[in-house]
Amino acid sequence: MIYPIRAYGDPVLRKECEEVSSDNEKLKDIISNMFETMDASRGVGLAAPQVGINLRMFMIDSTHFEKDDLDFKGRRQVFINPEIIEETGEEWAFEEGCLSIPDVREDVSRNAQVKLSYQDENFKDKTEIFDGMTARVIQHEYDHIEGVLFIDHISAFKRKLIKGKLNQIAKGKIKVGYRMKFYSKK
Ligand code: CO
């Protein structure tokens, strides 16, 4: 099942998410639906709050970047209850976008490596260091489960420039090639 993507302006995107319990019976379905949703919208990552689920989990598919760099080997997997242990390496800027904030792209600086502990889909504990575009996508998705969006990392000046666009998105006045759900205060 493809979930609609929650748009900028939805309070679910601003909440800190809750731990995923290993006895969550819906988890297998949520994971498979989220992969389907990410693929349908051609995303390189998707965090649970983006589909209205307030849980600490996200998935990535950085294999999309293999075509830009033949030496790069991407990852496609889910991360449950991830914790960033440390971010190291030099900061580098990359123009990021987000399925919840369509048509907005801005340079964001992030550290080159991220050390992450997490659980896989079988709740097996893992700790790994990621780099390149995989680290970048993990850092972006990790922000989501903390209620942070990539536009929070840009300068106040740049945010001012996109303010009108953000308001349009929040109101649903945008054309998108995938299914979205816009927040209504009613
Ligand atoms: Co995003």
Side-chain angles (χ1 to χ4, degrees):
M1 187 187 94
I2 295 171
Y3 297 121
I5 306 267
R6 301 299 180 100
Y8 174 83
D10 192 320
V12 73
L13 295 174
R14 289 308 194 176
K15 284 192 185 121
E16 254 185 68
C17 292
E18 284 162 21
E19 289 280 307
V20 183
S21 153
S22 58
D23 56 21
N24 185 329
E25 286 168 8
K26 292 184 193 144
L27 193 63
K28 273 211 149 58
D29 284 340
I30 293 173
I31 292 172
S32 104
N33 290 341
M34 281 181 65
F35 269 117
E36 207 181 328
T37 304
M38 178 174 71
D39 293 343
S41 51
R42 294 195 182 85
V44 297
L46 182 70
Q50 291 184 277
V51 293
I53 298 169
N54 188 34
L55 290 177
R56 289 184 70 83
M57 58 182 282
F58 59 79
M59 58 224 7
I60 67 160
D61 186 356
S62 59
T63 64
H64 288 272
F65 297 102
E66 289 175 359
K67 60 181 188 311
D68 307 324
D69 176 359
L70 296 178
D71 296 326
F72 175 70
K73 187 89 189 74
R75 298 278 290 254
R76 178 180 166 90
Q77 69 180 86
V78 63
F79 296 86
I80 296 167
N81 298 323
E83 289 294 340
I84 287 182
I85 296 169
E86 60 175 347
E87 291 175 287
T88 53
E90 244 178 82
E91 285 197 9
W92 61 292
F94 182 80
E95 198 177 61
E96 294 188 17
C98 181
L99 292 173
S100 295
I101 316 173
D103 281 356
V104 174
R105 302 194 67 86
E106 292 290 344
D107 272 345
V108 177
S109 283
R110 300 189 191 267
N111 288 102
Q113 282 100 34
V114 59
K115 186 176 182 182
L116 194 77
S117 70
Y118 65 96
Q119 288 155 341
D120 67 11
E121 62 276 21
N122 301 311
F123 277 90
K124 195 170 180 297
D125 288 318
K126 307 234 169 156
T127 301
E128 273 183 274
I129 295 169
F130 299 92
D131 59 13
M133 285 311 297
T134 301
R136 165 77 52 176
V137 179
I138 286 173
Q139 289 158 322
H140 176 115
E141 300 310 327
Y142 189 90
D143 273 352
H144 274 297
I145 63 172
E146 300 280 332
V148 174
L149 300 172
F150 82 93
I151 49 169
D152 301 343
H153 295 292
I154 68 177
S155 68
F157 174 71
K158 279 192 175 162
R159 210 170 315 129
K160 207 167 174 179
L161 291 180
I162 60 167
K163 197 168 178 239
K165 183 103 198 176
L166 293 176
N167 286 339
Q168 296 291 96
I169 295 170
K171 287 179 190 154
K173 290 180 183 163
I174 180 133
K175 258 190 121 96
V176 199
Y178 46 90
R179 199 148 75 92
M180 290 196 87
K181 188 168 194 259
F182 300 93
Y183 182 69
S184 150
K185 291 192 185 77
K186 281 182 286 193

